[in-house]
């Protein structure tokens, strides 16, 4: 391939500016490294580009989604399930979806900010129940980094002393909303504990950022920078050090290597110019999101690395997982016509339910937590999900408007988010014949849930229906059957895809060591969700941030010692 030769050799080249890449860039620039960051998407700044204070009714679309703004036209995430010119394929019989962002900050411009630490058991599940694999590190290895992430980024929550839900360094949580209190009361009556959420939104001024003013619009990006996005909390200060060169619209193609088998840099497509370029660096850090990092390695083939880079074990692309998800929405008649009151708060629920049961007494391994929703959000397109389904819904003109007023805020939903166990049927590989618009071979997915996940989804459905019944509510959809997979979401759909370049102590069964450094290529690291060995019943991003911080610090230390 021909590309323009670059003279400058950076200390580190990072690919991707989401949670992992942003943290790696922040840590390494603070440590004084000269860093270049390649980001496939365009520039974005929440302080100026966010639509935080826009009413949905200001637009003829009423805030409805578009192909590029899946979650609404004012949403902060540019990307989607389906990117122009960037396909992926599925093996026959496979259902799998892949949500990608293309912008500075990646998916952290929209994400739900649910920021849960993995617990001590989550790193050693195989030792506990014999399934999957243990991590090569323990909770105590990561705890100091979780603490640092808490202090730097800011998170609210409450101290609960639960065995596998470690407390963090929390700012005060906001008070529960009315509907959240009703859910909590009903949940506790059926034996499910409900506690304050743990979200990376600052409820007090923190590190020169103002406290949240409770506009509830986090998914649009925060103009006051009161929630976490990689864009404004990590990349912006990294740029201020003067040590970071951020190259946007730069789609990495492959990692280049020299005769000794060391990484020398990354080739990328300059999307604006339509030209291939190469950036040189002493260390390469992949953080393009778990599956895209696996793709980059699989595409970095050479005579020396015929199976792709860092893949002598053959595990790159394997052991991929997503969070399990199944949900129930309920209409709560006693919440109709309620006294109008202010339910403003953070852009997310103020309460949640961590896993509370003992799997030894259940017919499935591993747990799930419950995310809740409902209340008086800003109405927009698709509001109430079809008013004709409600007893007083439908009609025209004044009757319809009255029905909307009556029903506003009279529904709740409960969503399970659980742990999947990696299995041999879930993996990605390079499609032998399909390439993207730049000629880069694309991923082909294979996916099959096991009975563990289906049984867990059944338990979610039964539990959520019991809570809604306890609230005196009505569920419109019947209990999904075994044939319907108990409502288990399609793989990838929960957007917590992890693994694909897993870490481990044994180079025969893992691609990275306990520091996320490639066993085969000592100056190559991975800093997103790809190194994860298991999923846990927690959302992954707080662990991606902690792990990326640890990896960045390790690189800085090895460079100081002259070992990189
Ligand atoms: C709707 C939604 C809600 C979510 N809610 C939560 C939540 O509440 N809690 C939680 O923990 N997680 C949540 N997540 C998941 C969270 O967003 C991800 O875990 C996190 O962003 C992953 O970080 P990352 O750095 O691995 O990847 P990303 O944030 O996806 O960033 C990857 C970046 O790499 C760039 N890139 C990709 N390929 C290339 C290439 N070849 N060359 C150059 N650049 C490239 C992309 O453009 C992107 O900017 C949510 C996600 C979504 C979409
Ligand atoms: S709810 Fe708070 S953190 Fe979220 S966008 Fe509004 S002010 Fe920012």
């Amino acid at each position: 391939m021909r590309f323009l030769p670059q003279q400058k050799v950076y200390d580190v080249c990072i690919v991707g500016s989401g949670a992992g890449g942003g943290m790696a860039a922040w840590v390494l620039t603070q440590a004084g490294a000269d860093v270049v960051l390649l980001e496939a998407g365009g520039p974005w700044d929440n302080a100026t580009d966010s639509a935080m204070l826009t009413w949905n009714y200001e637009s003829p679309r009423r805030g409805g989604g578009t192909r590029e703004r899946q979650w609404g036209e004012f949403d902060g995430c540019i990307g989607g399930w389906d990117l122009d010119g960037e396909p992926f394929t599925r093996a026959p019989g496979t259902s799998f979806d892949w949500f990608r962002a293309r912008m500075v900050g990646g998916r952290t411009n929209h994400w739900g900010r649910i920021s849960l630490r993995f617990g001590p058991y989550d790193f050693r599940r195989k030792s506990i129940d014999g399934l999957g694999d243990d991590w090569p590190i323990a909770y105590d290895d990561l705890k100091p980094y979780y603490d640092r992430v808490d202090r730097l980024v800011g998170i609210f929550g409450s101290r609960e002393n639960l065995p596998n839900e470690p407390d963090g360094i929390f700012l005060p949580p906001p008070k529960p909303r009315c509907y959240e209190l009703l859910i909590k009361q009903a949940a506790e009556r059926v034996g499910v504990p409900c506690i304050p959420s743990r979200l990376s939104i600052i409820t007090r001024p923190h590190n020169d950022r103002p406290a949240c003013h409770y506009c509830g619009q986090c998914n649009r990006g925060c103009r006051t920078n009161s929630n976490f996005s990689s864009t404004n909390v990590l990349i912006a200060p990294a740029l201020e050090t003067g040590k970071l060169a951020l190259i946007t619209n730069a789609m990495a193609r492959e990692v280049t290597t020299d005769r000794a088998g060391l990484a020398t840099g990354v080739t990328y497509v300059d999307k604006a110019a339509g030209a291939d370029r190469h950036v040189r660096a002493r260390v390469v850090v992949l953080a393009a999101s778990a599956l895209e990092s696996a793709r980059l390695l699989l595409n970095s083939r050479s005579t020396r690395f015929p199976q792709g880079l860092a893949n002598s074990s053959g595990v790159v692309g394997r052991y991929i997982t997503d969070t399990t998800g199944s949900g129930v929405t309920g209409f709560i008649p006693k919440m109709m016509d309620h006294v109008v009151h202010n339910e403003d708060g953070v852009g997310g629920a103020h309460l949640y339910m961590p896993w509370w049961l003992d799997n030894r007494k259940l017919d499935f391994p591993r747990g799930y937590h419950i995310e809740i929703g409902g209340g008086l959000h800003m109405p927009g397109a698709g509001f109430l999900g079809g008013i004709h389904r409600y007893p007083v819904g439908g009609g025209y003109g004044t009757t319809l408007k009255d029905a909307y007023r009556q029903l506003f805020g009279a529904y709740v939903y409960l969503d399970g988010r659980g742990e999947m166990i990696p299995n041999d049927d879930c993996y990605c590989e390079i499609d032998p014949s399909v390439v993207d618009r730049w000629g880069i071979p694309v991923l082909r997915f294979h996916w099959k849930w096991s009975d563990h996940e289906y049984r867990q989804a059944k338990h979610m459905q039964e539990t959520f229906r019991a809570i809604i019944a306890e609230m005196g509510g009505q569920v419109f959809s019947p209990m999904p059957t075994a044939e319907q997979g108990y409502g288990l979401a399609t793989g990838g759909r929960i957007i917590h895809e992890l693994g694909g370049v897993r870490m481990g102590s044994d180079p025969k069964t893992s691609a990275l060591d306990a520091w996320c450094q490639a066993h085969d290529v000592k100056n190559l690291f991975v800093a997103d969700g790809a190194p994860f060995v298991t999923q846990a019943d927690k959302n992954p991003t707080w662990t991606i941030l902690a792990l990326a911080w640890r990896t960045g610090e390790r690189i800085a230390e090895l460079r100081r010692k002259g070992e990189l």
Side-chain angles (χ1 to χ4, degrees):
M1 181 174 307
R2 290 179 55 80
F3 40 74
L4 301 173
Q6 302 283 309
Q7 293 311 313
K8 175 159 180 155
V9 183
Y10 289 91
D11 293 329
V12 184
C13 172
I14 300 172
V15 181
S17 66
M23 182 56 87
W26 187 85
V27 171
L28 286 161
T29 52
Q30 295 291 320
D34 235 344
V35 178
V36 61
L37 199 166
L38 302 178
E39 166 52 53
W44 180 266
D45 179 353
N46 285 299
T48 49
D49 299 330
S50 156
M52 186 170 84
L53 299 174
T54 312
W55 293 102
N56 283 331
Y57 60 70
E58 288 176 39
S59 146
R61 299 181 59 85
R62 298 289 190 265
T66 62
R67 185 170 178 223
E68 212 188 27
R69 302 279 181 105
Q70 201 74 46
W71 313 101
E73 63 184 308
F74 301 124
D75 193 82
C77 190
I78 300 171
W81 300 106
D82 179 23
L83 300 182
D84 254 349
E86 297 192 52
F88 59 89
T89 63
R90 305 167 179 95
T94 288
S95 297
F96 183 82
D97 291 326
W98 189 16
F99 184 99
R100 293 162 290 171
R102 288 288 177 264
M103 65 197 299
V104 170
R107 292 175 291 183
T108 69
N109 292 299
H110 164 107
W111 72 307
R113 275 115 193 153
I114 298 172
S115 302
L116 304 175
R117 295 179 179 209
F118 281 21
Y121 307 155
D122 295 324
F123 294 90
R124 46 187 298 273
R125 286 288 180 191
K126 184 176 183 187
S127 300
I128 297 171
D129 65 15
L131 297 169
D133 267 294
D134 287 343
W135 289 56
I137 56 172
Y139 174 72
D140 284 344
D141 294 311
L142 216 47
K143 182 184 180 302
Y145 298 93
Y146 280 127
D147 288 352
R148 285 179 215 181
V149 175
D150 288 0
R151 285 197 195 96
L152 174 72
V153 173
I155 175 172
F156 71 72
S158 56
R159 296 192 70 77
E160 303 284 342
N161 288 316
L162 298 169
N164 197 42
E165 319 290 328
D167 295 325
I169 300 164
F170 293 132
L171 298 167
K175 283 188 189 157
R177 299 163 168 115
C178 171
Y179 81 91
E180 293 173 331
L181 281 173
L182 290 174
I183 293 177
K184 177 178 167 71
Q185 287 163 1
E188 290 180 348
R189 283 199 296 272
V190 301
V192 186
C194 186
I195 64 171
S197 299
R198 296 169 171 189
L199 303 187
S200 44
I201 297 171
I202 53 176
T203 51
R204 296 287 182 276
H206 188 77
N207 292 340
D208 297 328
R209 291 155 52 209
C212 168
H213 53 264
Y214 297 145
C215 74
Q217 297 295 313
C218 284
N219 63 316
R220 296 177 173 190
C222 186
R223 283 197 179 195
T224 57
N225 205 14
S226 309
N227 63 21
F228 173 71
S229 67
S230 171
T231 327
N232 287 64
V233 178
L234 299 173
I235 303 283
L239 285 167
E240 277 168 24
T241 64
K243 304 293 287 181
L244 177 65
L246 170 62
I247 308 182
T248 54
N249 290 309
M251 181 74 189
R253 185 188 284 278
E254 58 186 82
V255 178
T256 51
T257 47
D258 62 14
R259 284 203 191 144
L262 289 175
T264 52
V266 178
T267 55
Y268 68 94
V269 182
D270 175 340
K271 288 162 61 177
D276 267 297
R277 305 201 193 283
H278 183 237
V279 70
R280 298 167 68 197
R282 295 178 184 90
V283 176
V284 171
V285 178
L286 299 184
S289 79
L291 305 177
E292 187 74 30
S293 289
R295 178 187 178 202
L296 274 161
L297 291 177
L298 291 170
N299 274 332
S300 302
R301 277 180 241 198
S302 59
T303 324
R304 188 182 178 116
F305 299 108
Q307 304 194 90
L309 197 56
N311 194 24
S312 60
S313 61
V315 304
V316 174
R318 304 232 152 223
Y319 307 109
I320 61 173
T321 55
D322 186 25
T323 290
T324 55
S326 193
V328 177
T329 299
F331 164 51
I332 314 293
K334 71 177 169 200
M335 288 169 66
M336 274 171 66
D337 289 318
H338 58 51
V339 180
V340 175
H341 61 281
N342 187 345
E343 273 202 348
D344 288 354
V346 301
H350 293 183
L351 299 178
Y352 91 114
M353 293 100 142
W355 178 237
W356 70 105
L357 292 171
D358 180 351
N359 290 98
R360 286 172 300 186
K361 299 178 184 156
L362 298 166
D363 66 352
F364 60 91
R366 316 293 169 89
Y368 60 88
H369 71 268
I370 310 172
E371 299 177 7
I372 65 176
L376 306 169
H377 293 288
M378 187 196 294
F383 169 55
L384 285 179
I387 196 165
H388 56 283
R389 298 181 307 158
Y390 294 78
V392 299
Y396 294 95
T398 312
T399 325
L400 180 63
K401 283 187 185 168
D402 285 345
Y404 270 118
R405 286 193 187 97
Q406 271 188 293
L407 292 166
F408 186 34
Y411 77 98
V412 298
Y413 62 82
L414 303 170
D415 269 327
R417 297 285 180 261
E419 177 166 2
M420 162 195 181
I421 297 170
N423 69 55
D424 289 343
D425 295 322
C426 295
Y427 63 98
C428 56
E429 61 188 348
I430 296 299
D431 189 295
S433 50
V434 181
V435 295
D436 67 15
R437 68 162 72 165
W438 304 287
I440 307 173
V442 308
L443 285 180
R444 177 167 64 186
F445 290 99
H446 299 252
W447 196 269
K448 210 168 162 193
W449 294 115
S450 77
D451 285 346
H452 299 316
E453 289 81 36
Y454 285 120
R455 285 200 283 261
Q456 193 190 65
K458 178 170 181 275
H459 193 272
M460 291 179 186
Q461 286 285 334
E462 288 164 352
T463 305
F464 305 162
R465 285 163 194 273
I467 294 173
I468 289 169
E470 188 63 31
M471 295 177 79
Q474 181 187 336
V475 175
F476 296 133
S477 55
M479 170 81 189
T481 60
E483 291 68 39
Q484 293 165 324
Y486 300 112
L488 180 62
T490 299
R493 206 69 199 174
I494 306 301
I495 321 179
H496 289 166
E497 72 286 351
L498 296 172
V501 194
R502 74 170 182 178
M503 64 201 296
S505 314
D506 183 352
K508 291 199 188 68
T509 57
S510 59
L512 308 172
D513 71 7
W515 295 99
C516 298
Q517 182 174 18
H519 291 298
D520 300 347
V521 187
K522 77 169 188 176
N523 64 343
L524 175 67
F525 295 77
V526 181
D528 48 27
F532 281 46
V533 180
T534 58
Q535 182 83 39
D537 55 22
K538 324 284 192 315
N539 314 49
T541 308
W542 219 239
T543 303
I544 293 177
L545 289 169
L547 212 49
W549 192 319
R550 183 171 175 270
T551 303
E553 214 174 75
R554 174 72 171 172
I555 295 168
E557 185 194 333
L558 292 176
R559 279 178 32 79
R560 261 194 311 275
K561 290 183 183 162
E563 293 177 27
L564 278 180

